[in-house]
Amino acid sequence: MEWNISGQDFVTFSRFVGAALAMGLAAIGSAMGIGLAATGALKSMVRQPERQGEFVRTMFISQAVAESTAIYGLVVAMLLLFTTGGGHTDGIHGSDWVNGLRFLAAGLTMGLGAIGAGYGIGIAGTHAIEAITQRPEMSGVFMRTMFLGMAITESPAIYALVISMILIFVMGAPDAVGVFSGNIMDIARYVGAGLAMGAGAIGAAIGIGTAAAKALVAIARQPAKQGPLVRTMFLSMAITESPAIYALVVSSILIFVFTPTDAEAARIFGGMDLVAIGKYMGGAIAIGFGTIGAGIGLGIAGGGALDGISRNPRKESSLVRTMFLSMAITESPAIYALVISLILLFVFAVPDTMSWAQGWAELAKLLGGGIAIGLGTIGAGAGVGIAGLGGLIGISRRPQKEGAMLRTMFIGMGVTESPTIYALVVSLILLFVASSDVSTMSQGLHDFARFLGAGFAMGAGAIGPGLGIGLATRDALTSMAKQPAHEGALVRTMFLGMAVTESTAIYALVVSLILLFAVG
């Protein structure tokens, strides 16, 4: 069977796949958010059936906002389906690969970017209905707060929409016959930019929605503290959005800074271009996935402060300070990911020539470094925020034990972050220490497997321990607030639980180091 595929065929294929990704992925978060709003209305109607009309009205409003993220996906999908992509008829040339894959990347960007926003908007909507149930006379206040929270929750999806539109309408490739280094660099830049922004929007949007939801419930509990609570909500939202800003910055750098030179645009595709794929895609993976956990964790920590203020308004200043401290530590995994991403983009240069065998090994080192830190921050980013939540709740419930609570919280956060430190170490080893001097394709593929395996083993292996240790810390702190007389026993049990939980991250580290240094 002959495969006579033209550039037009490939571009059309990519547009269709991009449209499917945009609509399919965007529908996930939007539908979850819409469903959450419905569950909130149904629960409230059971408690106050006489207010059915108001609950249903609020439900429809929040559902309409949640559905807007699916509409973004629908708009991008329609543009991709009916945009003329062009392409050669005498085979697939470099410009066809670029144009096709930038369309696919545009769809991926919007699809991923809408998941978190749709879900986060639903979280805010369902808690707005709950707040109205508790304080029906403050319905107007809750609606205004809900709209403000939803607007900020939606902003990461709007960043993704902007990047998607840029990929569709602004970027492209000069029409040329052949496949050149510049084409490969453009493909890696555009796909990387889409992945960075799309994945980078998920965690921040969920975190912002969580903070908005907690603010609504807190205002219902303490209406006299509405001003301080709204102020704290905005502060926590601003910090929670920062991981999405990091992703937007890296995405913009990939699109607008690393344009191929004239020499690269005219150079025939070779093994050295695998380095370009590794640095651009590795940087995108690092920041895209590396911001998910931190975004969620920041929202959880901010929500903990809001909950604590509503339970113990006299400790407002102390709780806000603790929130800032816990958020600073929660954000650190995202900063590690940003640093590795920028190192990949700006430190490693694409050589003028390189064998294919060596190129495959270098590609794996760069990709592995990005994967290790990108995946390795997810669990700890969320876990540190969960630990902060426990500390904030504990201080609000048992303020006389604030010192012990803070001490335990910081210790727990430090241990929670350790799996990310392991991932950071493996990432740096891959980028700066791991050596590969291969002369045959067999050796190149061998190194490709072990370098990529080392990055994935450590990155994926750090997710569960980071979450698990954070959960143990949270429950130790909340238990201390309930039973302060048993503080010693609770802390000892926490340490025992942490040690066993962390063992799996250590196993992953050992396997990664074996792949890097003991086999070859």
Side-chain angles (χ1 to χ4, degrees):
M1 181 175 63
E2 292 187 18
W3 290 79
N4 295 317
I5 302 175
S6 68
Q8 289 181 348
D9 296 330
F10 178 73
V11 173
T12 300
F13 169 84
S14 299
R15 288 193 294 111
F16 292 169
V17 173
L21 289 171
M23 190 64 257
L25 294 174
I28 295 173
S30 178
M32 288 193 296
I34 292 168
L36 280 172
T39 62
L42 290 165
K43 290 177 181 177
S44 294
M45 286 166 62
V46 172
R47 295 163 62 184
Q48 295 183 8
E50 70 278 6
R51 303 185 65 83
Q52 173 184 345
E54 186 174 5
F55 296 147
V56 171
R57 183 170 62 251
T58 306
M59 177 191 76
F60 280 137
I61 292 171
S62 61
Q63 285 179 328
V65 181
E67 192 162 357
S68 65
T69 60
I71 292 174
Y72 296 160
L74 177 63
V75 168
V76 170
M78 291 296 106
L79 289 172
L80 290 170
L81 288 175
F82 297 105
T83 296
T84 302
H88 292 88
T89 58
D90 60 340
I92 306 177
H93 297 282
S95 58
D96 303 322
W97 287 104
V98 174
N99 288 323
L101 291 176
R102 73 181 169 91
F103 289 140
L104 191 150
L108 179 66
T109 307
M110 190 64 257
L112 289 174
I115 291 175
Y119 184 67
I121 290 168
I123 295 173
T126 191
H127 283 79
I129 297 171
E130 179 184 341
I132 292 171
T133 306
Q134 296 176 21
R135 297 273 183 176
E137 72 278 8
M138 296 181 65
S139 175
V141 171
F142 296 136
M143 292 297 290
R144 287 194 297 273
T145 306
M146 180 188 77
F147 279 127
L148 289 170
M150 286 179 171
I152 302 174
T153 303
E154 196 163 1
S155 58
I158 294 174
Y159 302 157
L161 177 63
V162 170
I163 294 297
S164 184
M165 291 297 179
I166 290 172
L167 289 170
I168 293 172
F169 293 112
V170 178
M171 311 315 296
D175 189 16
V177 176
V179 179
F180 302 95
S181 292
N183 300 139
I184 304 305
M185 295 173 73
D186 284 342
I187 290 169
R189 290 192 303 122
Y190 298 157
V191 175
L195 181 61
M197 188 64 257
I202 295 173
I206 294 174
I208 294 169
T210 300
K214 289 295 185 181
L216 288 158
V217 175
I219 292 170
R221 187 180 291 138
Q222 286 287 346
K225 300 292 288 184
Q226 176 188 342
L229 287 168
V230 171
R231 184 170 61 248
T232 304
M233 179 189 77
F234 281 127
L235 287 170
S236 64
M237 283 178 166
I239 299 171
T240 303
E241 192 162 2
S242 59
I245 301 294
Y246 300 159
L248 178 62
V249 168
V250 171
S251 182
S252 300
I253 289 172
L254 282 164
I255 290 175
F256 296 112
V257 174
F258 291 103
T259 55
T261 64
D262 292 340
E264 289 167 337
R267 188 174 63 197
I268 300 300
F269 173 46
M272 62 283 184
D273 297 310
L274 296 176
V275 176
I277 295 173
K279 67 177 287 184
Y280 296 143
M281 291 301 299
I285 290 168
I287 196 64
F289 290 97
T291 53
I292 293 175
I296 295 172
L298 288 167
I300 291 172
L306 291 160
D307 184 78
I309 293 169
S310 71
R311 294 180 184 277
N312 194 342
R314 291 175 298 177
K315 296 294 292 182
E316 176 190 342
S317 59
S318 177
L319 289 166
V320 170
R321 284 196 303 271
T322 304
M323 178 190 77
F324 281 129
L325 289 170
S326 63
M327 281 184 152
I329 301 173
T330 302
E331 193 164 9
S332 58
I335 295 174
Y336 301 155
L338 177 62
V339 169
I340 293 297
S341 180
L342 295 177
I343 287 173
L344 280 160
L345 295 180
F346 290 102
V347 172
F348 294 92
V350 179
D352 293 328
T353 183
M354 180 177 285
S355 68
W356 283 103
Q358 188 66 46
W360 283 109
E362 296 300 318
L363 168 64
K365 285 169 60 177
L366 301 178
L367 275 180
I371 290 169
I373 196 64
L375 296 180
T377 58
I378 294 174
V384 173
I386 291 169
L389 169 67
L392 288 158
I393 292 175
I395 291 169
S396 68
R397 291 178 176 174
R398 193 72 63 172
Q400 65 271 28
K401 299 290 289 183
E402 180 177 350
M405 294 286 182
L406 287 173
R407 184 169 59 249
T408 305
M409 182 186 78
F410 285 131
I411 291 172
M413 284 179 164
V415 181
T416 302
E417 198 163 331
S418 59
T420 289
I421 301 299
Y422 301 159
L424 178 62
V425 168
V426 170
S427 181
L428 292 171
I429 289 173
L430 279 162
L431 297 183
F432 295 108
V433 178
S435 61
S436 176
D437 185 12
V438 299
S439 57
T440 67
M441 185 60 75
S442 176
Q443 292 174 324
L445 293 177
H446 185 91
D447 282 355
F448 178 87
R450 67 188 184 93
F451 292 151
L452 202 61
F456 181 80
M458 188 63 255
I463 297 174
L467 279 171
I469 296 169
L471 289 168
T473 303
R474 179 200 64 187
D475 288 348
L477 289 161
T478 55
S479 298
M480 285 169 58
K482 295 175 183 177
Q483 292 287 348
H486 297 285
E487 175 188 341
L490 290 167
V491 171
R492 285 194 299 274
T493 304
M494 180 188 76
F495 278 127
L496 289 170
M498 285 177 170
V500 181
T501 304
E502 192 167 8
S503 64
T504 54
I506 296 172
Y507 301 158
L509 176 62
V510 169
V511 170
S512 292
L513 295 177
I514 290 172
L515 283 165
L516 289 171
F517 297 111
V519 295

